[in-house]
Amino acid sequence: MGLIRSSIKIQTIVQCAAVVAGALGAFSAAHAQLIEDIDLRQEGANAVMQVRMGARVNFLRAVSARAGDLSQVYYDVLPQQQSSGLTPSERRVDGRGAIPPLVLSDDAVALNELSRKLTIRLSKPAKFRVRAGQDNPSIQVVFEGLGQSVGIV
C-alpha cells in the first residue's frame, strides 16, 4: 500500500511539473520581440538600413537630435488576429565604413503596447533620416551620402 501511495505521489508531482513547464513555455511564446531583422543596402548615394519588424507597423513620426546621433521613431503596431505580448528589445548593429555602430531599442509608449518607440543611438554623429519602409513591417534609416560604405566589410 505504501508503494502505491509513493507511486501516485511521484506521478502527481511529475504531472504538476509538466503543467508548470507547459505554462511557462506558453508564457514565453506569447511574448515577442518586434525587431526581427536588419538589412543594409545601397540606394544611389545613400545607405539604407531596413529594420524589419515581426508585425505590421504604421510609421507615425521621427524626432532627431541636432547632434545627429539620436532619433526617436514613433509607430503603431497594427492589430492582428493573434494578439501576443510585446516585450522591449535591443539590437546592436556593427558599423560599416563611415556608418557608425548603433543601438536600436524598442519600447512601448502606452499601456496597450501597440504604441511604440524605436530609439536609434549612433556611437558618433552622422547625417541620417528615418522613413516608413516600402512594406508595412519595416522602418528605414537613410544614411545620407554613405552609400559606398555598404560594400565595405
Side-chain angles (χ1 to χ4, degrees):
M1 188 82 136
L3 183 59
I4 294 174
R5 277 193 182 147
S6 295
S7 175
I8 291 173
K9 286 181 183 178
I10 291 172
Q11 185 179 13
T12 303
I13 291 170
V14 169
Q15 288 173 342
C16 288
V19 168
V20 169
L24 289 175
F27 177 76
S28 65
H31 287 71
Q33 294 182 359
L34 270 175
I35 301 173
E36 193 169 89
D37 194 21
I38 300 168
D39 295 340
L40 188 64
R41 70 175 189 280
Q42 185 172 355
E43 191 175 276
N46 301 327
V48 177
M49 181 178 68
Q50 182 162 312
V51 181
R52 289 185 221 270
M53 305 303 218
R56 294 177 53 218
V57 298
N58 181 33
F59 173 83
L60 299 174
R61 68 187 177 282
V63 181
S64 298
R66 289 183 191 224
D69 62 349
L70 176 72
S71 185
Q72 294 180 330
V73 182
Y74 294 90
Y75 67 97
D76 288 333
V77 176
L78 299 177
Q80 300 177 25
Q81 287 181 347
Q82 289 183 332
S83 178
S84 62
L86 302 172
T87 60
S89 62
E90 182 175 285
R91 290 293 263 307
R92 296 183 185 283
V93 181
D94 292 333
R96 189 181 285 181
I99 301 170
L102 58 98
V103 176
L104 299 171
S105 303
D106 173 63
D107 295 292
V109 294
L111 292 177
N112 68 6
E113 294 186 344
L114 296 179
S115 295
R116 313 280 303 174
K117 175 177 69 174
L118 181 69
T119 302
I120 304 167
R121 288 184 179 86
L122 280 62
S123 64
K124 63 181 183 180
K127 190 170 183 179
F128 74 100
R129 59 188 162 85
V130 182
R131 67 185 184 197
Q134 294 175 352
D135 54 353
N136 268 351
S138 69
I139 293 173
Q140 296 179 346
V141 181
V142 180
F143 294 96
E144 297 180 14
L146 300 180
Q148 292 181 339
S149 294
V150 173
I152 298 172
V153 178

